[in-house]
Amino acid sequence: MSDEHKILLTIPMYPDMELAAAKTGSALAELKDFNEEAVEEIQLAIIETCINASEHSQSDDKEVHIQFLVTDDQLQVKISDRGVGITADTLDGTRLLGTPTLHADLRKRGRGLQIIRALMDEVVIESSSNGTTVSFTKKKTPS
């Protein structure tokens, strides 16, 4: 029988608070014996998603809500904000990357969602004017 662990975490949108969320995710993955590469990928996906929420959500409550659900063979993470939502052009990165008037350093940004999609087994993004939820799943590779 599979053990299931669910953790709920709310962090303020302060610098480096995404590291607390990443540490929680890595602890859960290590608890279930995910390999080191998978743990690092989970941490990176959590960090990227939390930073996106902090930088772009414009939420009044300035909070990021994270739900972790870990079983013996996968870790699912749902990261939500109560911000303004995101548009389709933001989802594929074209708005940020294709804007020549932005400072060069900012044009390099905007790859967070691409990174998350490349690292995770499943990614679902739901967004409305009431906020955004990015859900992703990392499956444990058999050892």
Side-chain angles (χ1 to χ4, degrees):
M1 185 171 160
S2 167
D3 282 336
E4 183 176 279
H5 300 276
K6 182 177 183 178
I7 307 288
L8 301 174
L9 179 66
T10 298
I11 60 171
M13 292 180 180
Y14 296 147
D16 299 327
M17 286 306 299
E18 69 278 1
L19 301 177
K23 184 67 175 166
T24 302
S26 66
L28 288 169
E30 289 168 357
L31 175 73
K32 293 299 183 174
D33 295 320
F34 278 70
N35 67 42
E36 187 177 330
E37 181 180 0
V39 171
E40 289 174 4
E41 291 172 349
I42 290 165
Q43 287 180 320
L44 182 56
I46 292 168
I47 288 168
E48 287 290 337
T49 306
C50 288
I51 288 173
N52 278 349
S54 293
E55 288 182 352
H56 303 296
S57 72
Q58 302 172 38
S59 77
D60 290 334
D61 67 3
K62 302 287 188 223
E63 292 179 338
V64 180
H65 307 275
I66 305 139
Q67 174 184 299
F68 301 93
L69 185 61
V70 64
T71 63
D72 289 338
D73 60 351
Q74 71 179 22
L75 174 63
Q76 181 183 37
V77 182
K78 290 184 177 185
I79 300 176
S80 303
D81 64 62
R82 295 187 183 115
V84 298
I86 52 180
T87 59
D89 62 341
T90 303
L91 285 176
D92 66 13
T94 55
R95 183 185 66 151
L96 190 57
L97 295 174
T99 308
T101 57
L102 286 178
H103 186 275
D105 289 342
L106 292 177
R107 284 199 305 272
K108 292 177 188 171
R109 296 277 323 197
R111 301 223 185 255
L113 291 173
Q114 292 173 332
I115 291 168
I116 295 161
R117 286 183 174 121
L119 296 177
M120 296 297 108
D121 295 304
E122 298 170 18
V123 179
V124 176
I125 300 167
E126 301 169 289
S127 189
S128 72
S129 59
N130 297 320
T132 300
T133 299
V134 178
S135 304
F136 52 83
T137 302
K138 184 70 172 177
K139 296 178 182 172
K140 185 172 152 185
T141 54
S143 37

